[in-house]
Amino acid sequence: MCGITARVGPGEAVPELLSGLENLEYRGYDSAGIATRNGRGIDLVKREGEIDELRGAIEKRPPQGSVGVGHTRWSTHGPPSDANAHPHADCTGQVAVVHNGIIDNHERLRAELDSHEFTSETDTEVVPHLIEEYLSDGDSPGEAFRRAIDRLSGSYAIAAVFDSTDTVFGSRNGSPLVLGRASDRYYLASDVPAFLEYTDEVVYLEDGDVVALSPDGYTITDAGGKQVDREIETVDWEPADVGKGGYDHYMLKEIHEQPAALRQTIRGRTDLLAGRAELEEFPPESFSDVDVVHLVAMGTSYHAALYAQSLFASRGVAAQTFLSGEYATNPPSVDEETLVVAVSQSGETADTLAAIRSIHGTGARTLAVTNVVGSTLTRECEDTIYIRAGPEIGVAATKSFSSQVATLSLLCERVSQDTDGATPTATSELFESLAALPDHVQQVLDESDAETVASTYRNSDSYFFIGRGVGHAVALEGALKFKEITYDHAEGFSAAELKHGPLALVTESTPVFAISVDPEDTKTLHNVKEVRARGAPVVAVAPEGSTNLAAYADHLLELPKTHPDVAGILANVQLQLVSYHAADQLSRPIDKPRNLAKSVTVE
């Protein structure tokens, strides 16, 4: 949620701040604003709506200055409005602040600051007024900033610009904040794409860090005020990776990037001759002491974890999937033989971080499966496997799901091998199918009839998705994608559950998408017959050769023939295309669905 950017260096700040906000618009888009130090004070411009509204206001009265902060908001406290947009300033105009997260004690602080004039409903506004109080005590900007930060409870990433100095101050606690270092300028942002076109050198700040950026460099101090060094890393993303590349939407671009993303995910991680999963982070027998696997995740990552649960179960490995928020609230029993796998595209999902923190000290082993190097989750967990999907900008996750499932499939093989649960023949067949997966995804992209299906069932009352095993996880993900970007009602069910209630909802105006990963799947065929008997149209998503299922379907979205464990990834690509075309035909804002943000960094 919410995008922060800041910039210090020669030249005007506004163009780079606006560029950063446009690159972060996937994190928040109901209002936006910037504040710069112009040498006489602070220029502040903010507007409700998308970045174009802010750009229009700036063109009428361009702010001046080489130092500034910017913000694009996803509302938590107070509705979208000009007043609630960030940055927020103090009473005197000495300081302007941008903030991502939730300040839990803001009401108490606001009551304490009753002599100040508040102009918004946000929790953020207490921060500039606290800073104002400490400046009036004679503190320097840096001292006032740190004292204000020390008063806050909750999660936050904060950046502040002052009228009296060309230094920008920032800090984080539970929300991401990353520093970018170029040859003659410095950046702060909540995510790397904000400044990727200017530098690929980054420093990932840690909770409690306070950073001071000036034209001469930067310093980082920890929560105790001691200066610390944080590693400078080079990100391997190219600036073109975060552009649309000629596509109408980021989502469509990222759907079509899946063959390349999967090649990166799989590369070097399988030994076809030995029939082994070769995860470079883990020497042989690394998982030999694992007795049970807990998978924790939210949203699309939760569906990828459910997919993996089916794979673990089929190999005789005890596994259970939990919503991270529930896991954190009511942690199950764990011990030294429990492997807790946290799945998160961003590595900053607040619920998933809370789930991992809830079992610290229990002896359970923790493993992050994420896309972002240096993210908080990688520091909270003992080990990490990266999915290598590259940057994902669209709010509706696509290529990250495919790469998560492929990565978890390899992890599943490795755990089952280390615990003597896999057979070489079965493993070799799976690895051959994984090796062919990028080409099979490309075949689906080239040949899919998803656009016709979307057009045929446009304006239906509801859309239902059913499947078994890995197909159940795909059904849930297909329904999530559909409702996220079309705003139409969609639900996913286990096909086994259909007769236990959901069948009452089936009518002639409720198309049913039946996902099958096995041409010999007779049970899903029975479910298809049941819904056809109620007059519902059926779209079968099934491998080539599924003649029986195809005979009872109104449409067939065919999958290349492959291993059943891999076929679900191909089925999901078909459903991504259906959702995309359905939303496009309805003229929905596909990359920025209402009320949603890419990274949910607050609980």
Side-chain angles (χ1 to χ4, degrees):
M1 60 169 30
C2 297
I4 287 174
T5 188
R7 183 264 194 201
V8 173
E12 290 296 319
V14 169
E16 292 183 5
L17 291 174
L18 280 175
S19 171
L21 292 181
E22 287 170 343
N23 291 337
L24 292 176
E25 200 169 6
Y26 62 94
R27 297 183 63 95
Y29 41 82
D30 57 39
S31 60
I34 63 170
T36 60
R37 176 180 184 259
N38 62 19
R40 302 175 303 280
I42 292 176
D43 270 346
L44 193 156
V45 184
K46 53 184 183 175
R47 289 293 184 274
E48 177 186 355
E50 298 185 2
I51 304 297
D52 285 345
E53 298 295 326
L54 175 64
R55 185 179 288 278
I58 287 172
E59 288 174 353
K60 294 177 183 176
R61 187 182 66 81
Q64 305 296 312
S66 62
V67 175
V69 296
H71 190 268
T72 180
R73 182 173 185 250
W74 187 73
S75 301
T76 52
H77 291 78
S81 68
D82 286 357
N84 288 332
H86 297 212
H88 291 287
D90 68 315
C91 298
T92 63
Q94 298 176 87
V95 59
V97 168
V98 292
H99 162 236
N100 177 22
I102 293 178
I103 298 171
D104 293 334
N105 62 337
H106 73 99
E107 291 181 347
R108 182 169 59 81
L109 292 172
R110 185 179 282 239
E112 189 178 304
L113 295 162
D114 58 355
S115 64
H116 291 250
E117 181 182 354
F118 285 80
T119 60
S120 79
E121 302 169 68
T122 69
D123 54 338
T124 303
E125 199 180 356
V126 300
V127 180
H129 291 293
L130 277 173
I131 292 173
E132 179 188 356
E133 283 283 300
Y134 300 134
L135 289 173
S136 69
D137 289 345
D139 285 352
S140 68
E143 293 167 338
F145 180 81
R146 181 177 283 281
R147 285 182 67 186
I149 295 302
D150 288 344
R151 297 290 311 280
L152 305 181
S153 297
S155 65
Y156 55 79
I158 292 175
V161 60
F162 291 79
D163 70 338
S164 59
T165 178
D166 56 7
T167 300
V168 167
F169 296 90
S171 184
R172 63 157 286 173
N173 181 59
S175 289
L177 194 63
V178 60
L179 184 157
R181 185 185 78 162
S183 59
D184 62 349
R185 65 198 69 187
Y186 300 90
Y187 303 90
L188 282 179
S190 45
D191 209 348
V192 172
F195 52 70
L196 188 58
E197 62 197 280
Y198 307 115
T199 181
D200 60 1
E201 293 187 359
V202 303
V203 177
Y204 294 98
L205 301 178
E206 299 186 9
D207 281 353
D209 283 354
V210 175
V211 60
L213 302 183
S214 74
D216 298 324
Y218 67 88
T219 58
I220 301 172
T221 52
D222 63 16
K226 179 183 177 182
Q227 187 166 332
V228 293
D229 291 323
R230 301 290 183 220
E231 183 180 359
I232 299 171
E233 301 185 35
T234 302
V235 295
D236 61 0
W237 300 346
E238 296 295 329
D241 292 342
V242 298
K244 290 182 182 176
Y247 289 91
D248 290 336
H249 300 94
Y250 283 112
M251 182 180 180
L252 185 61
K253 172 178 179 274
E254 288 158 3
I255 288 172
H256 281 265
E257 285 177 341
Q258 286 176 110
L262 285 164
R263 287 189 182 93
Q264 292 174 179
T265 298
I266 299 164
R267 186 180 65 244
R269 287 176 164 173
T270 61
D271 185 334
L272 291 176
L273 292 177
R276 286 191 58 82
E278 298 292 341
L279 299 176
E280 63 273 23
E281 302 88 349
F282 304 101
E285 308 305 316
S286 290
F287 301 102
S288 59
D289 60 347
V290 172
D291 184 56
V292 63
V293 177
H294 287 178
L295 299 130
V296 294
M298 297 296 290
T300 288
S301 297
Y302 175 72
H303 299 152
L306 279 174
Y307 195 120
Q309 177 184 306
S310 292
L311 300 182
F312 277 113
S314 69
R315 288 154 179 77
V317 178
Q320 190 172 356
T321 304
F322 300 84
L323 289 165
S324 304
E326 296 295 330
Y327 196 89
T329 304
N330 298 292
S333 177
V334 298
D335 57 27
E336 291 84 356
E337 295 178 333
T338 307
L339 174 65
V340 182
V341 181
V343 188
S344 168
Q345 188 281 136
S346 66
E348 302 291 350
T349 307
D351 301 283
T352 303
L353 290 168
I356 291 299
R357 289 164 182 161
S358 72
I359 58 167
H360 282 171
T362 63
R365 182 175 172 185
T366 55
L367 170 63
V369 175
T370 186
N371 195 33
V372 180
V373 176
S375 56
T376 304
L377 191 63
T378 65
R379 296 194 294 272
E380 295 281 349
C381 291
E382 297 166 63
D383 296 299
T384 299
I385 302 176
Y386 292 105
I387 69 171
R388 304 174 179 171
E392 187 176 65
I393 304 301
V395 169
T398 51
K399 65 178 180 177
S400 61
F401 177 86
S402 298
S403 290
Q404 283 173 341
V405 170
T407 302
L408 290 167
S409 299
L410 292 166
L411 175 64
C412 174
E413 284 303 309
R414 181 56 189 279
V415 172
S416 62
Q417 288 167 348
D418 282 0
T419 55
D420 298 321
T423 62
T425 301
T427 301
S428 295
E429 291 173 359
L430 174 65
F431 287 173
E432 288 171 3
S433 294
L434 281 172
L437 181 59
D439 290 336
H440 284 158
V441 171
Q442 190 62 57
Q443 183 179 338
V444 169
L445 295 172
D446 293 341
E447 300 176 1
S448 176
D449 199 31
E451 187 170 5
T452 299
V453 169
S455 178
T456 301
Y457 299 111
R458 186 172 165 183
N459 299 321
S460 295
D461 290 344
S462 290
Y463 301 81
F464 297 132
F465 299 74
I466 62 172
R468 293 172 182 268
V470 299
H472 177 212
V474 173
L476 294 174
E477 175 61 12
L480 176 62
K481 282 294 153 287
F482 201 92
K483 70 181 76 173
E484 275 183 319
I485 63 171
T486 69
Y487 307 158
D488 285 343
H489 178 255
E491 285 195 62
F493 305 103
S494 165
E497 186 188 9
L498 192 63
K499 289 182 287 189
H500 298 272
L503 196 58
L505 301 173
V506 170
T507 71
E508 296 87 346
S509 297
T510 56
V512 176
F513 290 80
I515 297 102
S516 176
V517 297
D518 185 348
E520 306 302 322
D521 181 0
T522 57
K523 290 186 176 181
T524 302
L525 174 61
H526 294 323
N527 297 125
V528 166
K529 291 178 179 178
E530 288 166 354
V531 298
R532 282 299 300 269
R534 276 75 181 173
V538 173
V539 179
V541 187
E544 58 186 63
S546 304
T547 53
N548 290 333
L549 191 60
Y552 284 90
D554 297 275
H555 287 84
L556 173 64
L557 294 174
E558 196 170 64
L559 314 176
K561 193 172 182 179
T562 189
H563 194 289
D565 290 352
V566 175
I569 299 175
L570 300 173
N572 187 65
V573 175
Q574 288 280 21
L575 295 178
Q576 290 172 352
L577 291 168
V578 170
S579 297
Y580 173 81
H581 289 298
D584 192 41
Q585 291 164 15
L586 292 168
S587 299
R588 303 297 193 217
I590 291 172
D591 289 331
K592 296 176 286 187
R594 66 188 179 201
N595 303 330
L596 302 177
K598 183 67 176 173
S599 301
V600 183
T601 57
V602 295
E603 295 182 74

